[in-house]
Amino acid sequence: MNAAIPDLTRKVAVVTGATGGMGQIIAADLIHAGAHVVTIARNPARADALRARIGPQAANRLDVILGDLSQRKDVVTAAKTIRDHHDRIHILINNAGAHFSEHRVSADGIEMHIALDYLAAYGLTTLLDVPLRRGHARVVNVASDTLNDTRQIKLAGRPRPATLELAGIDDLAELNPASGFAPFEAYARAKLMTVTAGYALARNLAADGVTVNALHPGIVATDIIDDLVPPLLRPMRTLIRRTLLTPAEGAKSATRIATDPAMAGVTGRYFNRDKESSTPPVSHDATTQQRLLALSLTHFAG
């Protein structure tokens, strides 16, 4: 068992993005601590790589549901499959995410950052409401501190937080439009949406002992980084990656929030690695939170 993680025998954890660099480590660490892990994967070959990492001795503690988390129907189907097999969930780590350098929309007509980086986490958290409450679960949303500063090169000037203006918005498909599309800002906005909704969901779930926190794991050397590096610095990507945190270091921050006994009862917080931090004022605005929840609920009801 991983000495940094308490015994998780008979605990059920749902981990998204578990076929990626940091997600693989999160899933493997939880399984090796005794948990039964469920993940959703789009690529069967990458799921096989996760099984290989875990090893045959623990393979029976991993369930892989095939699906694309950018699609509403696959999120709904995955959540139903999980509910059908597990009446209690103790950990939900919403780690799935990607950065898209060009404007793309999902099968549902939603800009891809919002579809994958926000709606997948919102959808699983709300569609798994009952087993999360029964398990007094810890929900951890892996975000990004780009929500506090959307500048890619921070040599001078003041931070430029992500924006979220929902007045007059009737459908999430209206956000991050093709006109004037800025990939880094679109990515940051989706992460801001995750944190904003998370604050409201934390209050809604608190009565049943469910905690909801968000985390910036640090700048980790994962595949997303290659897309986030500004064009002028791309020839130096290999050197840049050497200065970043390893996926194992990023994973440690996520598993700490999900399992550390000292985090029991802590909810509605945002952490920059292990330090509690702040998010833009709009993320705490009650009107914005409720409007975002209403739009998101409509998406999954549609």
Side-chain angles (χ1 to χ4, degrees):
M1 185 180 74
N2 187 325
I5 301 176
D7 184 5
L8 299 178
T9 302
R10 292 186 293 277
K11 303 294 186 183
V12 175
V14 177
V15 181
T16 67
T19 59
M22 196 173 89
Q24 273 198 20
I25 295 169
I26 292 171
D29 284 351
L30 294 178
I31 288 172
H32 292 150
H36 188 104
V37 169
V38 183
T39 191
I40 301 101
R42 188 179 71 252
N43 187 329
R46 296 189 72 177
D48 289 341
L50 174 58
R51 291 189 182 94
R53 183 185 195 102
I54 291 166
Q57 304 91 335
N60 64 332
R61 294 204 301 277
L62 173 67
D63 290 338
V64 177
I65 301 169
L66 293 181
D68 183 343
L69 287 173
S70 73
Q71 298 187 26
R72 175 175 54 206
K73 67 178 180 61
D74 284 12
V75 174
V76 172
T77 298
K80 182 180 185 304
T81 301
I82 295 168
R83 292 196 309 266
D84 287 347
H85 289 86
H86 302 284
D87 64 349
R88 284 175 172 78
I89 296 170
H90 305 90
I91 295 169
L92 169 59
I93 300 181
N94 289 307
N95 172 65
H99 176 267
F100 302 92
S101 58
E102 297 179 352
H103 188 269
R104 293 173 53 188
V105 296
S106 70
D108 306 302
I110 304 293
E111 192 275 322
M112 282 294 288
H113 289 104
I114 293 173
L116 182 59
D117 296 348
Y118 166 61
L119 280 171
Y122 167 86
L124 287 176
T125 304
T126 54
L127 293 168
L128 295 175
D129 178 274
V130 172
L132 289 172
R133 290 180 188 271
R134 287 175 178 162
H136 308 299
R138 294 192 191 184
V139 178
V140 180
N141 293 319
V142 178
S144 165
D145 211 50
T146 56
L147 59 86
N148 276 315
D149 191 356
T150 60
R151 296 175 302 156
Q152 286 185 274
I153 300 176
K154 302 172 175 57
L155 297 178
R158 302 178 63 179
R160 189 171 64 237
T163 59
L164 183 59
E165 178 53 67
L166 298 180
I169 298 294
D170 296 317
D171 191 309
L172 290 177
E174 299 172 43
L175 294 179
N176 289 353
S179 175
F181 182 72
F184 199 69
E185 293 179 14
Y187 172 78
R189 180 171 296 110
K191 295 300 187 180
L192 175 63
M193 292 168 70
T194 297
V195 172
T196 302
Y199 290 148
L201 292 173
R203 293 194 300 272
N204 295 346
L205 293 164
D208 288 302
V210 178
T211 63
V212 181
N213 293 293
L215 163 75
H216 169 58
I219 303 177
V220 180
T222 62
D223 291 343
I224 290 180
I225 288 300
D226 287 338
D227 283 333
L228 292 178
V229 172
L232 289 175
L233 299 180
R234 284 178 186 168
M236 302 173 62
R237 276 185 297 191
T238 300
L239 180 61
I240 290 171
R241 286 176 73 96
R242 290 175 184 166
T243 69
L244 306 181
L245 298 175
T246 66
E249 290 171 321
K252 185 176 180 180
S253 296
T255 54
R256 182 188 74 87
I257 296 174
T259 66
D260 187 346
M263 292 294 296
V266 175
T267 193
R269 312 286 179 85
Y270 171 74
F271 294 88
N272 189 329
R273 298 195 69 193
D274 292 335
K275 182 179 180 181
E276 186 175 343
S277 189
S278 60
T279 56
V282 68
S283 65
H284 299 282
D285 179 72
T287 300
T288 300
Q289 290 175 0
Q290 293 310 310
R291 183 59 183 156
L292 179 57
L293 292 186
L295 290 166
S296 305
L297 179 63
T298 299
H299 172 78
F300 281 99

